Amino acid sequence: MKKNVLIIGAGAVGAVVAHKCAQSSDVFASVCLASKNVAKCDAIIDSVNKKNHQAVEGFQFYSREVNADNTDDLVDLIRSTESQIVINVCTVFVNMNILDACLETGAAYIDTAVHEDYSVMNAPYPWYANYEWKKRELCKEKGVTAILGSGFDPGVVNAYCAYAQKHEFDSIESIDIMDVNDGDHGHYFSTNFDPEINLREIIEDAGCLEDGQWRTYPHHSRSMKYDFPEVGEHKLYLMGHDEVHSLSQNIPGVETVRFWMGFGDHYLNCLEVFEKVGLLNHETVTTNNGDKVVPLHTLKACLPDPASLAPRYKGKTCIGTLIKGKRDGQDKELLVYNICDHEVTYADIDSQAIAFTAGVPPVAAAKLIASGEWDVKGMVNVEELDPIPFFERLAEMGISTEVCDLSADNDSPANRVLYA
Amino acid sequence: MKKVMIIGAGGVGQVVVHKCAQLPEVFSEIVLASRTESKCIAIAKQVKETHNRDIATAQVDADNVPELVALLNVEQPFMVINVALPYQDLTIMDACLEAGVHYLDTANYEPLDTAKFEYHWQWAYQEKFEKAGLMALLGSGFDPGATNMFTAYAAKHYFDEIHYLDIIDVNGGDHGYPFATNFNPEINIREVTAECRHWENGEFVETPAMSTKQEFTCPDGVGSFNIYRMYHEELESLTKHYPTIKRAQFWMSFGDSYLKHLEVLQNVGMTGIEPIEFNGQKIVPIQLLKELLPDPSTLGPRTHGKTCIGCVVRGIKDGKEKTVYVYNIKDHQDCYGEVQSQAISYTTGVPAMIGAKMMVEGKWMQDGVWNIEQMDPDPFMEGMNKYGLPFKVIEEPGFELI
């Protein structure tokens, strides 16, 4: 029996999820797109309909309004839509409400980022263990499938580690996840997804595992350069990121797990000004004429809507995992990565590559739950699952997987396409 | 001994009141008027404490001529020192004409809706002041004001003919904040985004804002700074009154951090004056920005360093080419110690007092509307030395300027 899917969240990533689910009417019986703002859902449904995908007869695709702050409302929505799979691409502050609603109804749960408390900056380590993992036993007891962090990073990069562990290495010593956007959106300054989340996460302390120890550094205080396939050399900065925690727990013997993101000088310049002037604060201030204003909200209102960037975006993203370890007693170094072109994703589904790479993987996960391959009846992070069928589904939907063996001899081909 | 009325109780007004109060033999009575009388009362209290002098205060709307005339008729001062807002110059001049009071200001008239620094509106009052037997002295701050006097002084004592003029305004002060503006951020932004104009071969030449810069090393260890060419109002009057000038340029120092902040904030729209919406709430970005930035009036006690403002004049004396630099250096903390204000307000307020003193004492008294460089610079320059802004002259300073 085909499954009914409920998507919660109608931002730029929600739009990608909606498009890709609508292209999968062979797998899904119906898709409901729900958000606090139902007009945003309807606009996405319009854009999907304009693409004229050939849908299987009887496939339903519709919108609903929901307040994700309220677990009871979520339970009602899952029941009334008869959803078996919930894809949460809403703001991370409501993860636990949606997970609770899935536990209540028995629906499978998929998300793309770890839960956060809005009022807490620099969320204390260990991130997954503070919220989601507390429900691990309950998921198992109730037989509810919950796949955590199934976007690109976290998500696909975790699968790269699982692949390396199973097929390429005897032991893994270090993992460096590297995320670079070599694209240009043509605006003076813009974030690629919700500024409220993005500008907040990049000024948080950078937590990582190094030499078996958990360490934190001030944001943007550590950098390196890396020469990527296709997009060339970029400067990367150490950042805290969800998957650093789960991988440090789930990859046996790993001593170092770090996340690095590429930032241009101009971007950092702007960020420094915002931070120093106080525009990134989320505490309310009162202006001269008595208005109560949150600086970060004002900045967000001034900046371009990330969903509007896609038509002008040119260039490519490269997100990869650099893994070092041993194979047959020899040192080995492997880069597993994906290149995604902003103009190609726009032609496909009116989306830029950053939203595309974040939105396609949860659909791949939903398909694997529907097929039973990932229907594990418990809570897992992506690295705990078989990566091969995941790579296959990603490739079908436009995300290839490539590897580059950096320890190989010069005469052997170092770059190979794993799935495309 | 004369009675003066000072209109405007901002940072400059405060300095003018302090300095006039120090000279009871010149300014026998002082009235301070502003739209917000509480600001006048606060300044009067300061002056009472430091100089034991009583300052009268009054509330007045300087946009309103009848209100101004009524106040002038009651107080009957000898002259008005106008340190209110530049777009109030004409209403105050009209009131002075009607009440028979002399006039002095520090910045030329600007219409409220366009940022145009031009003298023609005020020069048009020439005949009216002449007929009324009154004097209006324009631009008696530092720049314009002291810089015009430096030029006139150099021309009088060092040259037969002046050909090149570079006015260089360096503020080497540091308030310790990553970003703060000395006054309204909107006005600061307008200043650095306005098209540049400089005088060259008989006409004003326009170039893009902030497009020409050079490094300038101030004398006496003040330091080296990036100075940017921009338009400033004294270029108009000086090139008119010194027609031998072939090229006149104005330069101002800006720190990299200041420019970086302004550029970013402006480009993302945080300096906007139109409301934007967030979840149904209307927010005016600049109003939030003002709230987040340090209050300009709190910068005084924490600003360290010096200002260095002067004129590099090049011309001919006895058939030979020569260059002279006339300048003043002022320490921010010295100003704060003396009048509880930083050097930006101090350097504007002191020349206003000296100009008024020249008029009160009759050293400069002639009917009509005059720019300050049309007056004899010598008694003014003596005043600069005496009242807190001593000047120096360097012949052949050896600067290598663009």
Side-chain angles (χ1 to χ4, degrees), chain A residues 200-215:
Chain A
R200 178 184 157 106
E201 79 173 6
I202 63 182
I203 60 158
E204 289 185 321
D205 291 343
C208 67
L209 185 78
E210 273 183 330
D211 307 321
Q213 304 284 314
W214 186 259
R215 292 182 184 149

Side-chain angles (χ1 to χ4, degrees), chain A residues 188 269 272 288-289 292 297, chain B residues 260 263 267 278 281 287:
Chain A
Y188 179 82
N269 213 19
E272 187 193 336
N288 224 3
N289 43 11
K292 297 209 181 301
H297 289 170
Chain B
K260 176 174 99 178
E263 190 214 301
N267 274 294
F278 184 83
Q281 185 190 9
Q287 283 174 2

Side-chain angles (χ1 to χ4, degrees), chain A residues 264-335:
Chain A
D265 291 344
H266 173 70
Y267 190 99
L268 292 178
N269 213 19
C270 292
L271 186 70
E272 187 193 336
V273 169
F274 299 153
E275 190 177 10
K276 286 196 170 154
V277 169
L279 287 168
L280 303 183
N281 295 343
H282 54 274
E283 287 90 20
T284 305
V285 298
T286 307
T287 65
N288 224 3
N289 43 11
D291 292 339
K292 297 209 181 301
V293 181
V294 176
L296 185 54
H297 289 170
T298 310
L299 180 60
K300 179 177 172 174
C302 284
L303 295 177
D305 177 356
S308 72
L309 302 176
R312 293 168 67 176
Y313 235 124
K314 301 223 183 316
K316 294 170 182 173
T317 61
C318 180
I319 314 174
T321 307
L322 181 67
I323 300 153
K324 291 179 191 170
K326 294 269 192 294
R327 182 67 157 183
D328 302 328
Q330 302 286 309
D331 284 341
K332 181 166 181 176
E333 193 173 331
L334 190 76
L335 179 71

